[in-house]
Amino acid sequence: MSEETSTGAPRRIVRDGYPEGVTCWVDCEVPDPAAAAEFYGGLFGWALEDQMPPDAPGHYYSARIDGLDVAAVGSQPDGSPVTAWNTYVWVESADETAAKVTNAGGSILKEPFDVMQAGRMAVVADPQGASFRLWQPGEHRGAQLVNEYGAWNFSGLTTTDVDGAIEFYRAALGWEAERSDEWTFFRVPGYGDHLAERDPTLRERLSADDDAPKGFEDATAWVTGMDGQPDGTPPNWGVTFSVEDADAIAARASELGGKVLVEPFDAPPVRMAVLSDPQGAVFTVTRYYPAGAERT
């Protein structure tokens, strides 16, 4: 859910939890999390701190902007073939929601388990194989800062079956879909009410923004088909980060050893690029330009 000023600069709203069914957190699993922490710290200006005890077999670096949690970089589980960014959905019960996932035709990749005092989670996948995580919060309350430059902006599902995905996520998570010829997004009914409690001008800004689709105050994720994807790309959940300058970030990623998979391009109202870190985790960066805003 976007929270920008009239110039496109993000509004700072510190979060403390999310409603049921809303995407709430992202992290990245890589073979060498220390190297990834150095890359993302250099790219986005994150301060990263390992949350695992010194004798733990793996690492989990929390990424912060001005002391506020925005994302994390962790060790890749043994035997996992995938280096990727992961999206988490806030749920009241990881166990009950995991059951809904299977009842809707999805699968459980890792049964619900406790993450120390932070919360309880499960790794699941939709019927097309796109994996995501369920997060039942404990001490960890999700991303405290979103949409600010360098912070997580949105997650999106790329799938071989948009209609099937709409049915699955409605049954498993209670999401509704808004569609047009150009876009489809998932929404959590009432999410906009939650956001408006801390941002009373939200709906006023959206109604004045010609780029904002109907119902966007409740948006929690995009969904697209496979058109334009490289051959062999599996269904997946991807993440997007807000940046002040997509071109400069793409150039900086290359300097730090990453790759520019899709050069910066305009897709009004944003300018965006698709990048990967040196270990192959793919992510998107985007700069939002409201109608009439000057591009810098």
Side-chain angles (χ1 to χ4, degrees):
M1 180 64 231
S2 215
E3 297 160 354
E4 291 89 3
T5 67
S6 61
T7 64
R11 296 172 181 270
R12 172 158 289 190
I13 298 175
V14 178
R15 305 233 181 166
D16 180 25
Y18 292 75
E20 169 87 4
V22 173
T23 51
C24 65
W25 183 244
V26 293
D27 65 15
C28 185
E29 293 178 341
V30 293
D32 187 345
E38 183 175 356
F39 170 81
Y40 288 106
L43 187 67
F44 293 135
W46 294 346
L48 292 110
E49 180 182 1
D50 193 357
Q51 300 299 300
M52 301 300 289
D55 58 349
H59 301 274
Y60 196 77
Y61 292 88
S62 289
R64 301 186 177 102
I65 295 175
D66 295 339
L68 299 171
D69 290 335
V70 294
V73 176
S75 298
Q76 193 171 26
D78 291 341
S80 173
V82 179
T83 298
W85 278 95
N86 307 302
T87 294
Y88 291 67
V89 178
W90 183 286
V91 297
E92 296 300 319
S93 170
D95 297 78
E96 292 178 7
T97 309
K100 291 180 180 179
V101 166
T102 57
N103 290 339
S107 57
I108 298 177
L109 305 182
K110 192 166 186 178
E111 294 284 348
F113 64 96
D114 292 326
V115 186
M116 296 181 286
Q117 302 303 310
R120 185 169 175 82
M121 66 174 284
V123 182
V124 299
D126 66 22
Q128 284 70 50
S131 66
F132 60 102
R133 279 90 192 285
L134 306 175
W135 184 251
Q136 177 184 328
E139 294 179 354
H140 191 275
R141 307 280 295 169
Q144 295 175 292
L145 193 66
V146 297
N147 300 318
E148 183 142 334
Y149 297 145
W152 172 47
N153 172 252
F154 231 71
S155 289
L157 171 67
T158 303
T159 181
T160 54
D161 184 357
V162 172
D163 290 336
I166 289 172
E167 291 304 315
F168 167 79
Y169 287 98
R170 178 185 292 118
L173 299 175
W175 290 356
E176 297 183 0
E178 295 290 340
R179 308 183 74 169
S180 78
D181 292 338
E182 299 179 352
W183 43 256
T184 302
F185 66 86
F186 290 121
R187 55 187 290 268
V188 175
Y191 183 28
D193 295 332
H194 171 83
L195 294 173
E197 291 178 2
R198 294 193 176 186
D199 185 4
T201 67
L202 172 69
R203 286 190 170 90
E204 179 183 345
R205 296 198 316 276
L206 288 175
S207 65
D209 187 350
D210 293 336
D211 297 318
K214 178 183 176 182
F216 196 60
E217 68 271 18
D218 291 334
T220 194
W222 294 106
V223 56
T224 61
M226 303 300 291
D227 291 348
Q229 296 295 315
D231 291 343
T233 300
N236 68 89
W237 274 93
V239 301
T240 298
F241 296 96
S242 291
V243 295
E244 187 170 8
D245 186 329
D247 295 79
I249 287 291
R252 180 60 175 155
S254 293
E255 292 172 0
L256 293 169
K259 294 181 180 179
V260 179
L261 303 181
V262 179
E263 295 286 346
F265 66 97
D266 290 320
V270 301
R271 185 165 176 80
M272 60 193 298
V274 182
L275 314 174
S276 75
D277 67 25
Q279 298 177 68
V282 177
F283 59 99
T284 299
V285 296
T286 184
R287 168 63 197 267
Y288 172 64
Y289 292 96
E294 181 178 353
R295 300 205 170 200
T296 57

